[in-house]
Amino acid sequence: MGAISFKDQLLVFLVVSTLALAHSKPLSSWEIHIKNGLSNGQALFVQCKSKDSDLGKQTLSTGAEFKWNFKVNIWDTTLFWCYLRKPNGHELKFDAFWVEKKTEWLRVKCDGNICNWTVEDNGIYLKDNSTNEDEFIHYWKFPATK
Ligand SMILES: *[C@@H]1O[C@H](CO)[C@@H](O)[C@H](O)[C@H]1NC(C)=O
Ligand SMILES: *[C@@H]1O[C@H](CO)[C@@H](O)[C@H](O)[C@H]1NC(C)=O
């Protein structure tokens, strides 16, 4: 045969127009900071990842920060999460960035496309750009029993 069916043509048209639409939107750039705000010189272990990248293992001295830049993918599925550990073994795993579809929670806090996370003795805080205050987000978890 060799003739392309109407159904195939329709499918090609749909795929091409979906890709064109996705590309017409500029991909937003973001910068995420994670700062060690622990007391008494406690070092902070940090490892952040997304589905496609592992940003490596970091050990931050107090006051130091780790930051990275990226653009969201065309599917708007970009998600970065981080694992944190204190010298006493307390751990915390949290989402450091995700693309919001229906909410504006993160977008408001991270105005200017910069998210400033600070790790403190009781948990992790996110700077709220609109109030310029660090807002408490998550408590530390005790380590899993060995
Ligand atoms: C985050 O901190 C940087 C300085 O490290 C500052 O320039 C920026 O305005 C802050 N952004 C927010 C949303 O707090
Ligand atoms: C974010 O902070 C800057 C500097 O304080 C301010 O000019 C801007 O209006 C803030 N954005 C929002 C959405 O509150």
Side-chain angles (χ1 to χ4, degrees):
M1 289 213 325
I4 300 171
S5 74
F6 175 70
K7 214 175 122 194
D8 287 344
Q9 288 182 44
L10 187 64
L11 191 65
V12 167
F13 172 76
L14 286 175
V15 168
V16 169
S17 46
T18 304
L19 286 173
L21 194 66
H23 274 291
S24 67
K25 191 186 64 163
L27 304 176
S28 60
S29 299
W30 293 80
E31 185 171 296
I32 312 297
H33 296 234
I34 298 184
K35 185 175 173 185
N36 179 357
L38 296 172
S39 65
N40 302 320
Q42 297 174 86
L44 174 69
F45 176 87
V46 181
Q47 186 169 22
C48 298
K49 293 183 182 181
S50 70
K51 200 159 76 63
D52 312 311
S53 52
D54 181 339
L55 305 178
K57 298 173 178 171
Q58 320 286 331
T59 301
L60 303 180
S61 51
T62 46
E65 67 169 29
F66 169 58
K67 67 174 180 182
W68 73 98
N69 297 282
F70 60 93
K71 281 189 177 179
V72 299
N73 64 33
I74 63 168
W75 315 115
D76 276 348
T77 54
T78 303
L79 167 68
F80 279 96
W81 67 92
C82 301
Y83 168 79
L84 308 175
R85 193 172 60 237
K86 284 201 282 187
N88 69 2
H90 289 184
E91 302 171 306
L92 203 166
K93 200 172 149 192
F94 75 105
D95 291 342
F97 176 82
W98 61 96
V99 179
E100 292 176 300
K101 304 272 166 71
K102 296 192 174 128
T103 54
E104 296 218 318
W105 186 86
L106 195 68
R107 240 172 296 174
V108 166
K109 297 207 177 355
C110 303
D111 192 54
N113 289 16
I114 301 179
C115 297
N116 288 326
W117 294 96
T118 302
V119 180
E120 303 208 5
D121 290 342
N122 63 340
I124 187 156
Y125 291 72
L126 177 61
K127 172 65 74 58
D128 185 335
N129 181 82
S130 64
T131 58
N132 207 29
E133 304 265 325
D134 281 329
E135 188 171 310
F136 181 79
I137 310 292
H138 299 294
Y139 284 108
W140 288 98
K141 287 196 170 54
F142 288 82
T145 44
K146 297 194 183 94

